[in-house]
């Protein structure tokens, strides 16, 4: 997996790269690189954004700046690129990320993530230079960087070698293995704390019964969610 993140704040990702599963994924061959729009702007004094035509608050990331950064990175017309590679604009109005979309993205050989800032992208970026618009939920963040980290986190942890235990990603919340339902509850020592006991079945050593109990718990949580 090769992920290119286009951003105005590459240093924001330093902490993210230190995460164990991210470092593991990189050690196992994944690649995470950053392109700073500002390094490629054709405008004077590093300008990357501008005020919106028609007026209004905030600043908009310019279409010519995004194009220049993409041309610098890929050496070709971004309009053609978007038909061959997942080029994903991070924008609050996009398709909302879920486990199925994470699986879909994790199966790609390469991803390009475009972070917006300020009021977001000039609409022509979204119309002509991307294959996908992706949101991490129905609320507004000040920029796409946190959203890009969310996407990278969710995708990279699905890759072989990212987590210590490969089974962890097969049967987890919202996975196909659990029929899309949330995961069952987990407990660890102590078996009792302030009178709060761990369910007996988990201490029973009966693997078939434990499994049945877990799937039942997951189903119940799924039902509760849709009520
Ligand atoms: Cl992808 N970007 C921004 N700016 N805000 C968001 C988002 C993305 N997803 C949810 N809120």
């Amino acid at each position: 997996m090769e992920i290119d993140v286009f951003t105005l704040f590459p240093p924001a990702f330093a902490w993210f790269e230190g995460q164990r599963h991210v470092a593991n994924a990189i050690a196992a061959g994944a690649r995470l690189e950053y392109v700073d729009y500002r390094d490629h702007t054709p405008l004077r004094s590093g300008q990357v954004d501008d005020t919106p035509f028609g007026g209004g608050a905030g600043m908009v990331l310019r279409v010519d700046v995004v194009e220049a950064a993409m041309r610098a990175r890929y050496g070709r017309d971004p309009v053609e690129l978007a038909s061959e590679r997942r080029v994903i604009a991070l924008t609050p109005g996009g398709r909302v990320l879920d486990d199925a979309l994470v699986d879909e993205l994790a199966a790609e050989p390469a991803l390009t993530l475009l972070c917006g800032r300020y009021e977001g992208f000039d609409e022509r970026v979204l119309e002509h230079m991307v294959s996908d618009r992706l949101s991490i939920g129905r609320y507004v963040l000040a920029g796409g960087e946190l959203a890009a980290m969310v996407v990278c986190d969710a995708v990279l942890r699905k890759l072989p070698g990212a987590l210590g235990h490969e089974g962890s990603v097969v049967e987890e919340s919202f996975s196909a293995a659990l029929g899309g339902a949330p995961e069952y509850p987990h407990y660890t020592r102590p078996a009792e704390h302030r009178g709060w006991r761990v369910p007996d079945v988990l201490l029973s050593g009966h693997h078939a019964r434990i499994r049945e109990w877990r799937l039942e718990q997951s189903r119940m949580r799924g039902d509760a969610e849709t009520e």
Side-chain angles (χ1 to χ4, degrees):
M1 169 67 69
E2 300 188 351
I3 306 179
D4 292 334
V5 181
F6 286 63
T7 170
L8 290 168
F9 299 100
F13 292 82
W15 164 83
F16 174 71
E17 288 212 11
Q19 301 299 293
R20 171 61 61 82
H21 70 283
V22 176
N24 287 349
I26 290 170
R31 195 178 54 60
L32 197 49
E33 288 178 10
Y34 306 94
V35 178
D36 189 337
Y37 295 113
R38 218 177 288 280
D39 290 343
H40 304 287
T41 177
L43 307 172
R44 277 177 292 109
S45 64
Q47 187 188 348
V48 292
D49 58 350
D50 221 324
T51 53
F53 282 126
M59 299 291 272
V60 177
L61 197 57
R62 289 175 55 131
V63 60
D64 50 352
V65 169
V66 174
E67 170 156 350
M70 291 186 69
R71 279 188 187 276
R73 177 68 180 180
Y74 302 111
R76 50 188 301 213
D77 187 343
V79 175
E80 293 164 16
L81 186 73
S83 63
E84 292 157 31
R85 176 183 173 109
R86 295 296 277 267
V87 179
I88 301 167
L90 295 160
T91 177
R95 173 178 169 193
V96 177
L97 187 67
D98 62 9
D99 187 69
L101 180 52
V102 173
D103 276 336
E104 194 181 311
L105 298 179
E108 295 285 335
L111 302 174
T112 297
L113 302 179
L114 303 182
C115 300
R117 265 276 144 181
Y118 322 112
E119 288 304 296
F121 299 95
D122 184 297
E123 186 67 17
R124 292 165 290 185
V125 172
L126 304 179
E127 271 175 28
H128 304 292
M129 297 186 192
V130 307
S131 60
D132 302 76
R133 306 170 190 197
L134 192 157
S135 165
I136 63 165
R138 295 295 182 223
Y139 45 82
V140 177
L141 300 169
E145 282 73 20
L146 286 172
M149 285 183 236
V150 167
V151 174
C152 289
D153 184 299
V155 167
L156 292 174
R157 66 184 287 288
K158 297 264 189 182
L159 302 181
L163 302 181
H165 186 295
E166 296 305 320
S168 339
V169 299
V170 175
E171 194 171 282
E172 64 184 2
S173 292
F174 321 118
S175 62
L178 293 180
E183 200 172 12
Y184 44 78
H186 299 284
Y187 297 88
T188 187
R189 280 174 286 274
E192 182 171 341
H193 179 73
R194 294 181 54 185
W196 305 327
R197 288 184 41 77
V198 171
D200 286 335
V201 61
L202 297 178
L203 309 174
S204 69
H206 284 97
H207 295 293
R209 274 173 45 201
I210 290 171
R211 172 132 198 88
E212 204 176 303
W213 181 86
R214 285 178 164 167
L215 294 179
E216 173 63 16
Q217 291 289 315
S218 172
R219 269 195 302 275
M220 279 165 47
R221 291 182 160 192
D223 292 346
E225 211 177 45
T226 52
E227 270 162 14

